[in-house]
């Protein structure tokens, strides 16, 4: 039986991340990057696919308690046993050259025997490395990967059943630190890390970073935890932010809706920038803006919906048949074929992001406006095409209303930028005509007057939670009766036990929009959008109540997955999910903040 998704916590070094279970087992870790092959893949298989568990000997279940140290990404996990109490502190310090996992065992009371079991499996659990001893260390090598394990002080370690085992006792105040270090196998071993100095500097650095946060309203701890999580999902060398550090955690247990989220989506760009600017993290916002500019540079016709951590374009999708999948949810996928889809909304999201960056006073780049102009000019020619839409459906292209609304956003931001910056060159009148034409068509073809709601696509009766963004992006004002009607319709028809689905999967209008079997849970980002939409339309009390229930879905250490199953009371989908935490922070600023950026 796999632990529940919410039984995990995350640690990371802003280049990769590990999932640590409540039982003390690291069940997922990709080295050296978020999108590298996993060396611990028990999350998507079993213990023989790689894990590292440290816990009191003979204790198989979850810990007694765990928590992050306040305002950090340093995790403390504690067990109380009949022999005494022990704590394991987990962290991944900011790397110099090589990634390290530090696990410090500390006796709290009594005398506790602790067991460490390390099963390294490279290439997503498929390769058992050759392990040898070297100067008191254990060295595991297979192909391009090399991992070193050491302890301070040294404890008895032995090999058994293709694993590396250690057993030792700690009394109150005694500590044993383990350090696991990865490096390319053709390079010499990196310099040794002092685990205790690393712990001290990590706590200090996180506290200094959190001091920059502008938010001081209700739910501060939840907002800070979300901001720290987003920071942890940032690939520091480039500024890109991954949607999640995992792949193939299912949107339905036992189902096939299992995708690789270890990439950077343009759909997140405006909302991510808004988080950084609103919360006071201009450096991170500028790094994300710069990543965006590098990624989208080139022929506008070749704009992708997502890119790799450095802006890579090729993300071929394949399956890993040797992994049984989380809770038997197959297939396990790496890469993402949605990279080749046409999603017109991303043009609007890029234009909105760059307009927001300009308005917020981020330093402009010489080529930024040239890229924006090329994007809008391409849209003028191509916007009438159907596309796969925001949700990357695999059931065929349609004229999705949200996609057309975001085309309007692209034209609108271009017009506004020219109006406020007359020194820039551009076809102001042509872009105004584009903006008016798109607006007129959406209101004619994407609106159901009988039901007083916009629809998911032209001619459809289906609804889509993305329609909640219509007032946020300025397509229509919040008090427009069509906006209020749409919010009410979406709330009623996509309700899932008080939360919100992103769209219907039952094909109630006789169509199969996403081309996939099965169902999914409530989509947390959409539920946050509903709270913000309610607030914009004057229903702030209802918005605050919904926000409170959404925040309550976070696990014991404040983390959210992509979706939630309100029937089973379980989190679903990749974890932790940037989109969900972005939704939490932006909604908190909308409800309780005073100086939002956009």
């Amino acid at each position: 039986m796999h632990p529940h998704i919410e039984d995990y916590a995350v640690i990371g070094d802003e280049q990769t991340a590990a999932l640590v279970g409540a039982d003390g087992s690291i069940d997922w870790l990709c080295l050296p990057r978020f999108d590298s092959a996993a060396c611990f893949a028990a999350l998507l298989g079993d213990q023989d696919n790689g894990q590292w568990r440290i816990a009191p000997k003979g204790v198989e279940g979850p810990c007694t308690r765990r928590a992050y140290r306040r305002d950090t990404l340093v995790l403390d996990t504690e067990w109380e046993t009949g022999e005494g109490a022990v704590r394991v502190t987990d962290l991944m310090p900011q790397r110099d050259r090589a990634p390290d996992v530090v696990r410090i065992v500390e006796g709290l009371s009594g005398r506790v025997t602790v067991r460490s079991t390390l099963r390294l499996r490279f290439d997503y659990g498929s390769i058992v490395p050759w392990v040898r001893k070297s100067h008191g260390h254990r060295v595991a090598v297979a192909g391009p990967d090399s991992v070193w394990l050491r302890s301070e002080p040294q404890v008895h370690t032995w090999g058994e059943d293709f694993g590396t085992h250690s057993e030792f006792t700690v009394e109150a105040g005694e500590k044993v630190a383990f350090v696991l270090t990865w490096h390319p196998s053709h390079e010499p071993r990196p310099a040794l890390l002092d685990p205790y100095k690393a712990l001290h500097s990590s706590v200090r650095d996180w506290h200094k970073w959190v001091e920059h946060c502008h938010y001081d309203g209700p739910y501060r701890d939840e907002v800070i935890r979300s901001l720290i999580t987003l920071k942890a999902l940032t690939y520091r060398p480039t500024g890109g932010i991954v949607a999640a550090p995992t792949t193939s955690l299912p949107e339905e247990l036992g189902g096939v809706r299992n995708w690789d989220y270890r990439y950077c989506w343009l759909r997140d760009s405006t909302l991510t920038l808004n988080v950084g600017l609103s919360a006071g993290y201009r450096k991170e916002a500028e790094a994300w803006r710069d990543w965006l500019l590098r990624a989208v540079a080139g022929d506008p016709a070749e704009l992708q919906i997502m890119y790799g951590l450095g802006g890579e374009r090729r993300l071929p999708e394949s399956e890993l048949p040797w992994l049984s999948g989380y809770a038997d949810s197959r297939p396990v996928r790496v890469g993402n074929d949605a990279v080749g889809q046409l999603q017109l909304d991303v043009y609007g999201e890029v234009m909105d992001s760059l307009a927001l960056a300009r308005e917020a006073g981020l330093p402009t780049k010489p080529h930024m406006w040239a890229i924006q102009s090329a994007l809008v000019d391409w849209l003028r020619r191509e916007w009438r095409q159907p596309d796969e839409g925001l949700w990357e459906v695999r059931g065929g292209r349609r004229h999705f209303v949200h996609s057309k609304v975001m085309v309007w956003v692209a034209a609108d931001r271009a017009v506004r930028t020219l109006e406020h910056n007359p020194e820039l060159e551009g076809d102001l009148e042509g872009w105004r005509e584009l903006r008016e034409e798109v607006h007129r068509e959406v209101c004619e073809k994407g609106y159901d007057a009988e039901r007083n709601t916009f629809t998911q696509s032209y001619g459809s009766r289906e609804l889509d939670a993305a329609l909640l963004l219509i007032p946020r992006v300025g397509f229509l004002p919040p008090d427009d009766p069509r906006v209020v009607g749409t919010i009410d319709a979406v709330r009623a028809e996509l309700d899932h036990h008080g939360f919100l689905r992103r769209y219907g999967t039952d094909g109630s209008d006789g169509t199969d929009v996403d081309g996939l079997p099965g169902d999914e849970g409530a989509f947390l980002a959409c539920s946050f959008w509903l709270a913000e939409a309610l607030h914009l339309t004057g229903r702030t009390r209802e918005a605050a109540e919904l926000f409170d229930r959404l925040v309550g879905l976070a696990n014991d250490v404040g983390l959210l997955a992509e979706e939630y199953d309100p029937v089973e009371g379980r989190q679903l989908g990749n974890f932790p999910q940037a989109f969900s935490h972005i939704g939490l922070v932006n909604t908190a600023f909308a409800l309780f903040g005073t100086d939002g950026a956009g």
Side-chain angles (χ1 to χ4, degrees), residues 55-244:
K57 182 180 180 180
V59 175
E60 297 301 327
C63 62
T64 306
R65 69 183 69 86
R66 65 175 180 171
Y68 286 111
R69 297 196 182 181
R70 182 174 175 82
D71 294 348
T72 76
L73 200 66
V74 175
L75 180 70
D76 288 324
T77 305
E78 297 181 4
W79 288 265
E80 293 181 358
T81 73
E83 290 71 41
V86 66
R87 174 192 299 136
V88 175
T89 298
D90 289 317
L91 67 145
M92 291 188 70
Q94 283 283 349
R95 70 178 75 171
D96 177 17
R97 186 164 61 91
D100 299 284
V101 179
V102 175
R103 313 195 75 183
I104 300 174
V105 182
E106 179 180 2
L108 301 178
S109 66
R111 181 179 175 86
V112 182
T113 300
V114 177
R115 186 79 178 262
S116 168
T117 302
L118 172 67
R119 293 184 176 90
L120 280 163
R121 302 290 188 268
F122 296 128
D123 194 26
Y124 298 105
S126 66
I127 297 175
V128 180
W130 182 267
V131 181
R132 59 182 173 84
K133 288 184 178 180
S134 176
H135 304 291
H137 301 181
R138 290 277 173 167
V139 187
V141 178
D145 299 293
S146 180
V147 167
W148 293 68
L149 174 71
R150 78 178 199 275
S151 64
E152 295 185 8
Q154 287 189 22
V155 296
H156 176 54
T157 301
W158 71 97
E160 180 182 335
D161 296 332
F162 300 103
T164 300
H165 304 263
S166 304
E167 192 172 296
F168 54 94
T169 60
V170 287
E171 299 181 0
E174 292 183 338
K175 297 179 181 180
V176 174
F178 291 88
V179 180
L180 183 146
T181 304
W182 178 95
H183 69 93
S185 59
H186 65 278
E187 295 183 359
R189 185 196 68 191
L192 298 182
L193 177 84
D194 184 318
Y196 301 104
K197 287 183 179 179
L199 172 60
H200 174 78
S201 60
S202 291
V203 171
R204 179 200 63 210
D205 291 347
W206 277 113
H207 286 169
K208 288 175 62 177
W209 186 81
V210 168
E211 287 176 358
H212 292 284
C213 180
H214 288 173
Y215 186 81
D216 195 27
Y219 303 93
R220 179 194 178 276
D221 288 348
E222 290 81 359
V223 169
I224 292 296
R225 178 52 51 199
S226 290
L227 290 168
I228 289 173
T229 303
L230 292 172
K231 178 73 167 170
L233 298 181
T234 301
Y235 185 62
R236 187 182 183 95
T238 66
I241 300 177
V242 296

Side-chain angles (χ1 to χ4, degrees), residues 393-569:
V393 299
R394 301 194 179 196
R397 292 183 177 180
R398 297 186 177 193
H399 291 284
F400 286 100
V401 170
H402 174 261
S403 295
K404 305 302 188 188
V405 167
M406 294 309 294
V407 171
W408 176 90
V409 168
D412 177 73
R413 301 315 188 253
V415 168
R416 286 167 46 183
T417 300
L418 275 183
E419 289 174 343
H420 296 154
N421 302 271
E423 74 280 4
L424 298 175
E425 295 183 358
D427 185 0
L428 181 58
E429 289 308 314
W431 294 345
R432 282 174 176 160
E433 290 175 5
L434 171 63
R435 180 174 65 175
E436 293 168 5
E437 184 179 3
V438 175
H439 197 281
R440 182 169 57 251
E441 180 178 291
V442 169
C443 292
E444 290 174 356
K445 296 183 179 180
Y447 175 69
D448 184 338
E450 178 184 344
R451 296 156 65 208
N452 188 30
T453 181
F454 286 93
T455 59
Q456 184 178 50
S457 60
Y458 292 175
S460 169
R461 290 186 60 82
E462 295 293 325
L463 300 183
D464 190 322
L467 300 169
L468 296 171
L469 296 174
I470 285 175
R472 191 185 202 282
V473 300
F475 184 83
L476 287 172
D479 59 356
D480 189 294
R482 294 167 291 182
V483 169
V484 177
T486 299
I487 293 170
D488 291 341
V490 167
R491 188 182 189 186
E493 295 190 24
L494 298 182
D495 175 77
H496 189 32
H497 296 268
F499 302 106
L500 211 62
R501 298 182 186 272
R502 51 182 174 170
Y503 53 83
T505 57
D506 57 0
S508 60
D509 67 352
T511 61
D512 181 14
V513 66
D514 64 15
L516 296 167
D519 205 350
E520 60 181 36
F523 203 85
L524 296 181
C526 297
S527 301
F528 281 114
W529 294 350
L530 175 59
E532 188 169 351
L534 289 171
H535 171 64
L536 287 173
T537 52
R539 290 172 279 185
T540 299
R541 180 184 60 81
E542 295 176 63
E545 290 174 354
L546 175 56
F547 181 78
D548 183 72
R549 287 191 288 115
L550 284 165
V551 169
L553 300 182
N555 72 356
D556 59 317
V557 291
L559 301 180
L560 291 167
E562 180 181 31
E563 299 182 9
Y564 180 73
D565 181 346
V567 177
E568 298 295 330

Side-chain angles (χ1 to χ4, degrees), residues 236-425:
R236 187 182 183 95
T238 66
I241 300 177
V242 296
T246 58
T247 178
S248 300
L249 289 179
E251 297 169 14
E252 179 184 37
L253 295 179
V256 300
R257 298 168 182 263
N258 318 316
W259 315 109
D260 193 344
Y261 276 20
R262 298 171 299 156
Y263 308 112
C264 308
W265 266 258
L266 299 190
R267 73 180 184 198
D268 304 356
S269 58
T270 307
L271 298 174
T272 303
L273 265 175
N274 198 73
V275 162
L277 294 171
S278 296
Y281 294 106
R282 293 177 64 86
K283 178 181 177 182
E284 286 77 5
E286 185 174 351
W288 171 248
R289 191 278 312 272
D290 291 347
W291 175 90
L292 185 66
L293 282 172
R294 293 192 301 271
V296 305
D299 186 347
E302 297 177 355
L303 187 71
Q304 297 184 176
I305 66 167
M306 72 181 87
Y307 296 84
L309 304 176
E312 298 90 348
R313 290 174 172 262
R314 296 186 183 276
L315 311 174
E317 184 176 306
S318 60
E319 298 179 3
L320 307 181
W322 61 87
L323 291 174
S324 59
Y326 178 88
D328 293 321
S329 305
R330 303 177 187 176
V332 172
R333 296 181 173 96
V334 295
N336 200 312
D337 277 347
V339 71
Q341 290 187 349
L342 173 65
Q343 295 180 21
L344 293 173
D345 63 287
V346 299
Y347 291 84
E349 283 143 8
V350 170
M351 290 295 295
D352 198 17
S353 298
L354 298 180
L356 175 62
R358 187 185 295 272
E359 292 166 7
L362 294 184
T364 60
K365 297 289 185 178
H367 58 291
M368 189 166 81
W369 179 244
I371 291 175
Q372 291 177 270
S373 299
L375 293 176
V376 181
D377 284 338
W378 185 88
L379 274 180
R380 285 182 69 183
R381 299 188 301 270
E382 306 292 343
W383 72 273
R384 294 177 182 83
Q385 295 185 60
D387 71 339
E388 276 91 1
L390 171 71
W391 304 124
E392 298 163 16
V393 299
R394 301 194 179 196
R397 292 183 177 180
R398 297 186 177 193
H399 291 284
F400 286 100
V401 170
H402 174 261
S403 295
K404 305 302 188 188
V405 167
M406 294 309 294
V407 171
W408 176 90
V409 168
D412 177 73
R413 301 315 188 253
V415 168
R416 286 167 46 183
T417 300
L418 275 183
E419 289 174 343
H420 296 154
N421 302 271
E423 74 280 4
L424 298 175
E425 295 183 358

